[in-house]
Amino acid sequence: MTRQLFQDDAYLAEATGVISAVTDEGGLILDQTVFYATSGGQPGDRGSLNWDGGTCEIATTVKGPDGPVLIPADGATLPPVGMEVMQSLDWRLRHTHMRVHTALHLLSVVIPLPVTGGSISDGKGRLDFDMPEAPDDKAALEAVLNGLIEADHVVTDEWVDEEVLDSNPDLVKTMSVAPPRGAGRIRLVRIGAGAETVDLQPCGGTHVARTGEIGPVRLGKIEKKGAQNRRVYLHLV
Ligand SMILES: [Zn+2]
C-alpha cells in the first residue's frame, strides 16, 4: 500500500518517495505520495517528479488497488523502479481544489438535504441535492455560506471505528461517495470545534485548515436534474 501523505497533511506540496512499481499502462506507484487520486468528485493532482538525471511531468493521478497511481504526461521519460524522486504538486491547482472542496462541505450545511453527487474543478464546484423545489432565496443562502467562511472555523480530521458510523448513518450526507474505510476505521472531517461544530462527515479528500482560507464565494446557476434533483453551482470569487 502507498502511504497517502495528504491524509495527514494536506499542505505538503513536496515530498521524497521511491518508485515501487510501474503499471502495464505506464502509471507510477510510489512507497509514499503527496498526489491525491481522483475520487469523491475531487480531481487527481498533477505536478512533477524530479530525480538525479531526470524529470517527469505528472498529468493526473488515479486510484489503483494499492493507492494513488501517478499518470505521466504523454512522451515523458519514466523514472526507473527503485529510484528516489522528489515529488512536487501543482500547488496552485491543488490548493484551489482544497478551497472548493471545503466550500462544498459548507454548502451541504446551508442546504441541509441529501447530496446525490458532486464535482470539483479549478475555481468552482457543484453538489446535486435531493431537492424537488428550487430554493426561493439564493442571495440569502449565499450570505449564510459566506458568513460560515468568514467565521474562520477550524477544519480537522479524526479517525473513528466503523461502528460509530454504522450506528450514526445520518453522518453520511453524500449518497454517491462511499467514505474511505480501512482496517475497521473511517476518516471524519469536522468543521468547527466541539459544541461549535458546523459540519461532521466522512470524507477522504483534502481540505483547507480554516474556512477563512476559502475566501468569498458566490452561488451560480441552479439546474433541475430530473424530478427530484437540483444541481447547485458554487464559484470562488
Ligand atoms: Zn471533504
Side-chain angles (χ1 to χ4, degrees):
M1 286 296 288
T2 303
R3 226 180 118 213
Q4 305 186 32
L5 301 173
F6 50 83
Q7 283 191 339
D8 295 324
D9 184 1
Y11 286 83
L12 214 51
E14 289 193 321
T16 57
V18 175
I19 306 295
S20 52
V22 179
T23 68
D24 291 343
E25 296 79 26
L28 301 170
I29 298 171
L30 288 89
D31 62 335
Q32 58 175 20
T33 191
V34 291
F35 283 76
Y36 178 84
T38 305
S39 65
Q42 183 175 332
D45 283 327
R46 58 185 198 213
S48 63
L49 301 182
N50 290 280
W51 63 96
D52 192 11
T55 183
C56 170
E57 290 299 312
I58 300 300
T60 190
T61 307
V62 299
K63 237 181 179 168
D66 296 318
V69 179
L70 282 58
I71 307 299
D74 285 342
T77 305
L78 306 188
V81 171
M83 178 64 77
E84 187 179 59
V85 299
M86 176 58 79
Q87 319 173 51
S88 305
L89 292 181
D90 178 338
W91 176 249
R92 185 208 63 81
L93 182 65
R94 153 65 93 70
H95 188 239
T96 302
H97 290 160
M98 286 160 58
R99 291 166 62 206
V100 173
H101 186 132
T102 311
L104 291 182
H105 278 244
L106 294 176
L107 182 62
S108 78
V109 173
V110 303
I111 303 179
L113 294 171
V115 174
T116 58
S119 177
I120 293 164
S121 59
D122 191 0
K124 66 174 194 234
R126 61 168 171 82
L127 286 181
D128 297 339
F129 291 94
D130 185 348
M131 179 166 56
E133 299 296 325
D136 37 67
D137 195 347
K138 195 165 85 171
L141 285 176
E142 192 176 275
V144 176
L145 185 57
N146 279 306
L148 287 171
I149 291 169
E150 285 163 20
D152 202 24
H153 293 289
V154 66
V155 182
T156 54
D157 61 79
E158 57 210 80
W159 290 82
V160 297
D161 290 338
E162 284 187 349
E163 299 90 75
V164 172
L165 189 73
D166 293 335
S167 56
N168 294 279
D170 292 350
L171 278 178
V172 183
K173 293 182 182 175
T174 310
M175 294 186 277
S176 67
V177 181
R181 289 177 180 243
R185 308 217 311 146
I186 196 152
R187 184 179 189 243
L188 297 181
V189 172
R190 184 187 297 271
I191 300 180
E196 304 281 291
T197 294
V198 172
D199 184 51
L200 179 66
Q201 57 179 295
C203 188
T206 58
H207 311 83
V208 291
R210 304 195 70 95
T211 60
E213 206 172 311
I214 297 167
V217 299
R218 69 176 176 83
L219 292 181
K221 58 182 185 235
I222 298 178
E223 290 174 352
K224 195 165 160 56
K225 287 280 163 189
Q228 282 295 313
N229 288 286
R230 306 271 160 175
R231 175 166 289 179
V232 181
Y233 287 87
L234 174 150
H235 301 257
L236 301 181
V237 176

